[in-house]
Amino acid sequence: MTLFEHLEELRKRILRSLVIVAAGFLVCWAFHEQLYAILERPIKPYVDKLAFTTITAPFFLYFKVSALAAVFLTSPLLLRELWGFVAPGLYRREKLYAIPFIFFGTFFFLAGGVFGYFVAFPFAIDFLLGMGENFVPVIDINRYLSFIMTILLGLGLMFELPVLIFMLSQLGLVTPGFLMRHFRWAVLIIFTVAAIVTPTPDVVTLCVFALPTIALSLLGVAASALANRR
């Protein structure tokens, strides 16, 4: 394939992904109030209701909630589109990893979201609002949603690290020895990416992102060793 053929293939995959997410959005929109109630649950012990300052804020809130849920709902199909774009450049034996890639990619993405919802986000909320216990919190719904969306999607993507390392090992681009020799640089990169993804500048939220990712990078090294042995 020429460069323009690759770009055309990429355009088709992106359009298909948008259609997939749009279909998932329509499904999730039917349950937008229930989905919002789930996302609101971690903040309920601290405030009765969230606030909004513009007339259109509730509509856009439900829109973003449904879009977020659609991404998680359709993640297996999105990963399939990603694999479909990469697969033409792989050898025949490498194409056999399509199902494991989609399965484990979906598993780790959802695991990152679950970790963010049940562990990272409540911990960050408890720490940040604990600093303002002498004040009355008035939390805007848009900022609250942006905060939790960043944590859920950010951790979902960062939890894909073991799958990425395994695939790079299968392609012969990295080895366990290479990963361990440059592990300190990996830690630096992880903290840098976590600092970019983290919605707040505090160190606690940064560590909530970075430390699990470092553990996952070690899991990726173990997966690389398995791939290298095979």
Side-chain angles (χ1 to χ4, degrees):
M1 296 176 65
T2 65
L3 174 61
F4 289 102
E5 288 174 336
H6 279 293
L7 293 177
E8 177 63 20
E9 179 68 15
L10 177 61
R11 185 187 69 85
K12 291 180 180 179
R13 294 292 176 180
I14 292 176
L15 289 177
R16 289 177 186 174
S17 298
L18 291 176
V19 171
I20 290 171
V21 174
F25 173 84
L26 294 178
V27 175
C28 295
W29 179 259
F31 306 95
H32 60 271
E33 292 186 359
Q34 294 88 334
L35 293 171
Y36 170 71
I38 294 174
L39 294 180
E40 186 189 30
R41 193 171 300 160
I43 200 70
K44 291 295 287 183
Y46 304 94
V47 295
D48 291 332
K49 290 185 178 181
L50 301 179
F52 64 93
T53 57
T54 60
I55 298 176
T56 58
F59 170 78
F60 285 110
L61 170 75
Y62 290 132
F63 184 91
K64 293 177 182 178
V65 168
S66 300
L68 174 65
V71 171
F72 281 94
L73 178 66
T74 61
S75 55
L77 300 178
L78 297 178
L79 288 170
R80 188 189 66 177
E81 292 300 319
L82 175 60
W83 181 266
F85 176 71
V86 175
L90 302 178
Y91 292 109
R92 184 186 300 271
R93 63 180 180 82
E94 293 168 344
K95 294 180 180 180
L96 298 177
Y97 287 96
I99 294 178
F101 172 80
I102 295 173
F103 175 80
F104 286 105
T106 302
F107 172 79
F108 280 104
F109 183 70
L110 297 179
V114 170
F115 178 83
Y117 181 81
F118 288 102
V119 180
F121 185 69
F123 183 82
I125 285 293
D126 185 65
F127 172 77
L128 295 173
L129 292 185
M131 300 293 292
E133 59 183 5
N134 295 325
F135 308 97
V136 178
V138 180
I139 302 175
D140 180 74
I141 55 176
N142 287 318
R143 294 189 176 184
Y144 172 78
L145 183 63
S146 297
F147 185 76
I148 192 170
M149 284 180 64
T150 302
I151 289 181
L152 297 183
L153 289 177
L155 283 171
L157 292 175
M158 295 182 78
F159 267 55
E160 296 285 359
L161 187 57
V163 179
L164 175 62
I165 293 176
F166 180 79
M167 296 307 299
L168 292 177
S169 299
Q170 283 296 129
L171 296 175
L173 299 178
V174 297
T175 62
F178 173 85
L179 294 171
M180 293 307 300
R181 285 195 304 270
H182 298 84
F183 184 72
R184 61 183 184 277
W185 294 107
V187 173
L188 177 61
I189 294 173
I190 288 171
F191 270 95
T192 302
V193 174
I196 296 173
V197 174
T198 302
T200 57
D202 63 283
V203 178
V204 174
T205 308
L206 173 64
C207 291
V208 167
F209 271 76
L211 295 181
T213 308
I214 293 174
L216 288 170
S217 68
L218 294 175
L219 179 61
V221 173
S224 176
L226 177 61
N228 188 65
R229 178 178 301 178
R230 294 185 60 183

